[in-house]
Amino acid sequence: MRVKVAALLTAATVLSGCAALTGDTSTGLTGLATGDIAARGGGATVTVDELEAEVEASVAAGALQADQFTGSELERRVQLQTLVLNNLFQIELARAVAAEEFGIEVTEDDVQALVDAAAEEAGGIEALEVQLQSAGQTLELFRRNQAVVSLRQQITEALLEQEPLTDEDVQAEYEARANEFEQVSASHILVPTEAEALAAIERIEAGEAFEDVAAELSQDPGSAQAGGSLGLAPRGTFVAPFEEAIWSGPAPVGELLGPVETQFGWHVIRVDEFVVTPQDEAREQVREELEAGRGDDLFGFWFRQVRSDADVEVAGRFGRWDVTSQSIVRDDAAAQQ
């Protein structure tokens, strides 16, 4: 399985010759005035050197060829620079606030655990490096991305500890989705009349293969081509008479049912397999899915609030902080610089 590599967060200096910001560079002035700082706020700071290094790394990795960048090479570099600065600043903002609010600090051990897990899935560290290389990345870039992954995971875990799921939440969701954990693999033959259904049953009981009779007679073109197979489906998928025939009892696996009449015609049904997830396992699956969704929601709300609360300053030649989108944007005047 190909490793799902996080989007490249590193990238390159767009206008490498424009290292200094407009303004006096005298001793005692702030980083924004001296040209040292590209953006800051909320305890986070991205320096011009950091930004340039990231942009250069992305250019070297071929980021300018991405479809999201348009126009001349200079215009694409400007777009790339804005994207990189947004990524860098917002990661640093999350890191700074998480450290202050939750005491979170991503360690080398945290990153290594994620790298090891990816390597195991890929079939070894060498196989991981080959996959990364084919995606235009290096192991070092992957490690840096995993640091961001770990940061988000730890923040999400901290938020879930503050607002945990209850057993009642899990039980209510399980009850609402109980049918998902009772599935059936069934086959059928659909014909227009009861007499034709009875004739199909006689042929099968006489020794003909269900699949051959279905392919010849069934008026359901989708399943007929598959020997009548309807695949694996949760309880409640089919129309009521069909469902009742399968689940009342439930029906013995491998035996013929019918004829069963529905609004579509007359069915000869065979249950091939029941797949029922034990309740404890099903509830645990529901809990994991609920926590994943709840974690995403909590993180999204938390980070929107973090960005909203931050008093962000951006060096003029790199753009400005847009309150509405909570991101760094570049006006035409800034882009022309």
Side-chain angles (χ1 to χ4, degrees):
M1 178 182 295
R2 179 172 294 279
V3 175
K4 295 180 180 178
V5 182
L8 242 167
L9 297 176
T10 61
T13 264
V14 178
L15 305 173
S16 56
C18 302
L21 296 177
T22 303
D24 194 340
T25 58
S26 305
T27 302
L29 295 183
T30 67
L32 283 167
T34 61
D36 296 333
I37 295 176
R40 69 183 176 194
T45 298
V46 175
T47 69
V48 173
D49 286 345
E50 290 169 338
L51 174 59
E52 290 180 346
E54 293 296 317
V55 177
E56 289 295 349
S58 281
V59 170
L64 288 179
Q65 309 311 313
D67 292 339
Q68 69 194 99
F69 303 124
T70 59
S72 67
E73 181 176 355
L74 178 59
E75 290 170 329
R76 284 183 280 120
R77 283 176 173 264
V78 169
Q79 295 161 26
L80 175 62
Q81 186 188 58
T82 304
L83 175 64
V84 170
L85 181 54
N86 261 305
N87 284 335
L88 284 177
F89 177 73
Q90 298 202 38
I91 290 168
E92 289 306 312
L93 180 59
R95 195 191 315 276
V97 177
E100 179 178 355
E101 187 172 340
F102 305 118
I104 289 173
E105 180 180 355
V106 177
T107 67
E108 284 299 317
D109 288 344
D110 295 329
V111 176
Q112 189 61 48
L114 292 175
V115 173
D116 289 345
E120 182 178 355
E121 182 181 353
I125 192 67
E126 293 82 5
L128 174 62
E129 290 190 79
V130 170
Q131 292 184 5
L132 291 171
Q133 185 177 12
S134 69
Q137 291 202 52
T138 65
L139 184 59
E140 178 56 30
L141 288 176
F142 183 69
R143 289 183 64 87
R144 294 173 65 184
N145 287 333
Q146 296 315 291
V148 179
V149 171
S150 179
L151 176 64
R152 173 163 179 155
Q153 287 178 345
Q154 292 186 52
I155 293 170
T156 300
E157 288 169 3
L159 293 168
L160 284 169
E161 286 180 7
Q162 290 182 343
E163 299 184 47
L165 281 174
T166 66
D167 291 340
E168 290 76 13
D169 294 330
V170 175
Q171 182 62 25
E173 181 70 9
Y174 168 75
E175 290 176 358
R177 297 169 48 190
N179 285 358
E180 294 180 20
F181 303 103
E182 296 180 330
Q183 300 187 75
V184 63
S185 176
S187 301
H188 81 138
I189 300 169
L190 174 64
V191 289
T193 67
E194 183 178 15
E196 290 173 285
L198 289 169
I201 292 173
E202 288 180 4
R203 289 175 57 178
I204 296 167
E205 290 179 341
E208 291 190 57
F210 185 101
E211 290 76 10
D212 293 339
V213 177
E216 178 186 339
L217 300 180
S218 183
Q219 302 298 297
D220 176 8
S223 67
Q225 295 177 2
S229 175
L230 294 166
L232 193 63
R235 184 169 185 168
T237 298
F238 305 115
V239 293
F242 201 103
E243 283 284 321
E244 184 178 354
I246 290 175
W247 289 101
S248 61
V253 173
E255 293 190 11
L256 297 181
L257 305 174
V260 175
E261 185 181 17
T262 73
Q263 64 262 46
F264 303 108
W266 290 84
H267 306 260
V268 177
I269 304 169
R270 184 187 69 192
V271 173
D272 299 316
E273 182 185 15
F274 286 108
V275 180
V276 179
T277 305
Q279 288 190 11
D280 289 346
E281 182 180 335
R283 285 192 180 90
E284 185 58 29
Q285 180 179 330
V286 168
R287 180 181 294 278
E288 290 176 359
E289 292 174 2
L290 281 179
E291 284 188 342
R294 186 182 182 88
D296 287 343
D297 291 343
L298 289 173
F299 179 85
F301 178 81
W302 175 84
F303 195 39
R304 285 193 296 273
Q305 194 63 49
V306 165
R307 289 181 295 179
S308 178
D309 292 343
D311 184 13
V312 182
E313 298 176 279
V314 181
R317 72 183 182 89
F318 295 116
R320 62 179 177 82
W321 181 254
D322 181 65
V323 176
T324 302
S325 65
Q326 294 186 334
S327 63
I328 297 169
V329 298
R330 190 186 297 267
D331 295 323
D332 290 343
Q336 289 171 5
Q337 290 188 43

